[in-house]
């Protein structure tokens, strides 16, 4: 998924559009998936949705946008190196939100991660401070989301694919106005310029955008399943 995203964003510099394709694929495809899985519909109160699901949707928007921006700015290998810090964020936010305490051995085991990422950053030939910032924002936000998703699954009894679809719908609704302002108008403007549209305006770009969305949907399915089965820290380590 990230290799396709890197190739796509190198020629098509619109990370919000790639993020929107992920949400456009996840929200509709989760509906037939739930029917095929035989999951019963479970209602969630408006108050609970506003308190927990809307913040999860907002976090999803921030995480997706920052993740694609980091892949756009730095090599895929380095972006994944930064993602190795997720256990640090998972431990911190699990302690902050879920009041989970870890053993001293767990805290000590996080030190090699910090050292490894520091060495990788100092020796990275294609180091980019903006890319590092977005990668850290994406990793930290995903860690918060994982803890939040685990909390909602335990508290509501929702099926994890149902929660995935709801979060994607909320995130899509939140991202839509920003996407229209930031990407839709510039893309339309470039497509009708007198000298002709840019070279990336062809069917292969559209195919890669769709492939990116479908792969991200598959990745989200695996992610929500693992968070349902594991603790937030175990998932982050995995």
């Amino acid at each position: 998924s990230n290799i396709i995203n890197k190739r796509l964003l190198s020629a098509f510099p619109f990370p919000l559009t790639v993020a929107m394709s992920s949400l456009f694929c996840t929200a509709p495809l989760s509906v037939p998936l739930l029917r095929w899985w035989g999951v019963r519909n479970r209602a969630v109160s408006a108050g609970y949705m506003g308190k927990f699901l809307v913040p999860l949707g907002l976090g999803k928007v921030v995480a997706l946008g920052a993740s694609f921006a980091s892949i756009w700015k730095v090599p895929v290998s380095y972006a994944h190196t930064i993602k190795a810090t997720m256990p640090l964020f998972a431990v911190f936010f699990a302690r902050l939100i879920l009041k989970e305490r870890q053993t001293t051995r767990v805290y000590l085991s996080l030190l090699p991660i910090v050292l490894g990422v520091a060495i990788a950053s100092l020796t990275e030939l294609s180091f980019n401070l903006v890319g590092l910032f977005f990668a850290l924002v994406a990793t930290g936000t995903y860690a918060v989301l994982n803890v939040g998703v685990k909390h909602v699954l335990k508290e509501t009894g929702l099926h994890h694919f149902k929660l995935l679809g709801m979060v994607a719908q909320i995130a899509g609704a939140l991202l839509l106005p920003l996407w229209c302002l930031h990407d839709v108008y510039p893309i339309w403007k470039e497509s009708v310029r007198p000298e002709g549209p840019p070279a990336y305006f062809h069917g292969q770009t559209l195919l890669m955008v769709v492939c990116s969305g479908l792969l991200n949907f598959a990745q989200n399915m695996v992610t929500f399943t693992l968070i349902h089965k594991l603790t937030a820290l175990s998932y982050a380590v995995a």
Side-chain angles (χ1 to χ4, degrees), residues 4-72:
I4 287 179
N5 290 333
K6 180 64 177 180
R7 183 178 175 185
L8 172 62
L9 290 168
S10 296
F12 183 73
F14 297 100
L16 287 186
T17 298
V18 182
M20 203 66 188
S21 73
S22 167
L23 298 174
F24 275 161
C25 285
T26 300
L29 290 177
S30 61
V31 176
L33 182 67
L34 287 168
R35 291 177 180 171
W36 180 69
W37 220 266
V39 177
R40 294 181 179 179
N41 191 25
R42 183 186 289 262
V44 177
S45 67
Y48 192 89
M49 184 172 291
K51 185 178 180 181
F52 290 102
L53 298 190
V54 172
L56 286 179
L58 180 61
K60 184 73 171 174
V61 170
V62 174
L64 272 177
S67 180
F68 289 128
S70 68
I71 293 172
W72 178 28

Side-chain angles (χ1 to χ4, degrees), residues 124-236:
E124 175 57 50
L125 296 176
S126 304
F127 179 79
N128 181 286
L129 189 60
V130 175
L132 171 64
F133 170 75
F134 279 126
L136 286 172
V137 168
T139 304
T141 307
Y142 273 124
V144 177
L145 283 175
N146 295 342
V147 173
V149 166
K150 185 68 177 181
H151 176 75
V152 172
L153 289 174
K154 288 175 64 175
E155 198 168 64
T156 63
L158 281 171
H159 193 278
H160 45 285
F161 290 159
K162 175 68 174 177
L163 180 59
L164 170 61
M166 295 173 72
V167 171
Q169 290 170 20
I170 294 170
L174 293 173
L175 183 59
L176 185 61
L178 178 62
W179 174 62
C180 291
L181 291 172
H182 190 272
D183 279 12
V184 173
Y185 177 70
I187 291 173
W188 174 81
K189 192 175 179 180
E190 290 194 13
S191 67
V192 297
R193 62 185 187 177
E195 62 272 25
Y200 55 74
F201 274 68
H202 50 67
Q204 187 179 358
T205 299
L206 178 60
L207 178 63
M208 291 179 70
V209 170
V210 173
C211 286
S212 172
L214 292 173
L215 286 170
N216 204 272
F217 168 62
Q219 183 180 335
N220 279 318
M221 283 175 54
V222 175
T223 297
F224 273 63
T225 302
L226 287 174
I227 293 173
H228 172 62
K229 299 284 186 182
L230 306 173
T231 65
L233 178 58
S234 297
Y235 169 73

Side-chain angles (χ1 to χ4, degrees), residues 88-108:
L88 298 172
F89 291 102
V91 166
F92 175 75
F93 289 116
R95 176 73 178 270
L96 186 68
I97 299 172
L98 301 180
K99 310 301 181 185
E100 290 183 359
R101 293 178 178 271
Q102 309 296 333
T103 64
T104 303
R105 287 185 177 184
V106 170
Y107 291 120
L108 290 175

